[in-house]
Amino acid sequence: MRPNWDQYFIEITNIAKQRSTCLRRQVGALLVKDNHILATGYNGVPAGVTHCEATGCLRQKLNVPSGQRHELCRGLHAEQNAILQAAYHGVPIKGATLYCNTKPCSICTKMIINAGIVRIVYELYYEDALADEILAETNIIVEQFNKG
């Protein structure tokens, strides 16, 4: 059966996450407008930086619980990398939809708002009360993908 657009793009996030170099969680993201992919991203270290597979996980070494102290990580989140890839290549993303296999954290949420993204479709819920609070103050449409 032919997938609808949300199914199609969520499946692509799950392919993108396979490129992740994170030892704790693999996440993929897509920026889409008018059913065309503008940029993709996955979580991992910046270009040219040694992967955590070689250095070990800083968050694990410091016993940082999931969902806390996001800045204590060598890597970038998938959403951040998708936004940065669009900027790097001069692709406007205002009015786009972000597809992500995990709901964005509060840091990514702030970037999403200021980037002009108008809709978020995510597969798995990620607990971040601040992200939820901030999103509730916006007009961004937030939907959890339902495989149905």
Side-chain angles (χ1 to χ4, degrees):
M1 182 168 173
R2 186 175 188 210
N4 67 33
W5 287 113
D6 285 348
Q7 290 170 319
Y8 176 70
F9 293 127
I10 284 292
E11 286 302 316
I12 295 172
T13 69
N14 285 306
I15 292 170
K17 79 177 185 179
Q18 294 174 31
R19 294 279 308 151
S20 171
T21 59
C22 181
L23 300 174
R24 290 177 67 163
R25 179 189 310 263
Q26 285 68 48
V27 180
L30 260 64
L31 290 168
V32 175
K33 190 169 183 181
D34 300 325
N35 294 328
H36 294 281
I37 298 170
L38 304 175
T40 65
Y42 51 86
N43 57 329
V45 299
V49 174
T50 304
H51 294 292
C52 298
E53 295 164 327
T55 65
C57 177
L58 176 61
R59 294 175 60 77
Q60 191 170 8
K61 288 177 188 174
L62 298 174
N63 292 316
V64 178
S66 178
Q68 297 179 18
R69 304 293 312 268
H70 294 107
E71 76 280 5
L72 294 176
C73 180
R74 294 173 58 81
L76 293 158
H77 290 183
E79 304 92 323
Q80 294 169 329
N81 272 326
I83 291 168
L84 290 167
Q85 281 300 307
Y88 185 85
H89 293 287
V91 177
I93 59 173
K94 182 178 179 182
T97 294
L98 172 85
Y99 287 89
C100 195
N101 61 301
T102 303
K103 186 179 164 291
C105 73
S106 56
I107 293 171
C108 291
T109 294
K110 292 180 276 187
M111 292 179 68
I112 288 163
I113 293 166
N114 279 2
I117 293 166
V118 298
R119 181 174 176 240
I120 299 169
V121 179
Y122 66 93
E123 189 170 23
L124 303 171
Y125 183 76
Y126 178 77
E127 183 68 39
D128 188 325
L130 182 57
D132 293 339
E133 181 183 323
I134 292 169
L135 282 168
E137 295 181 33
T138 72
N139 292 324
I140 295 174
I141 299 163
V142 181
E143 302 172 40
Q144 185 168 14
F145 175 72
N146 183 357
K147 291 181 183 183

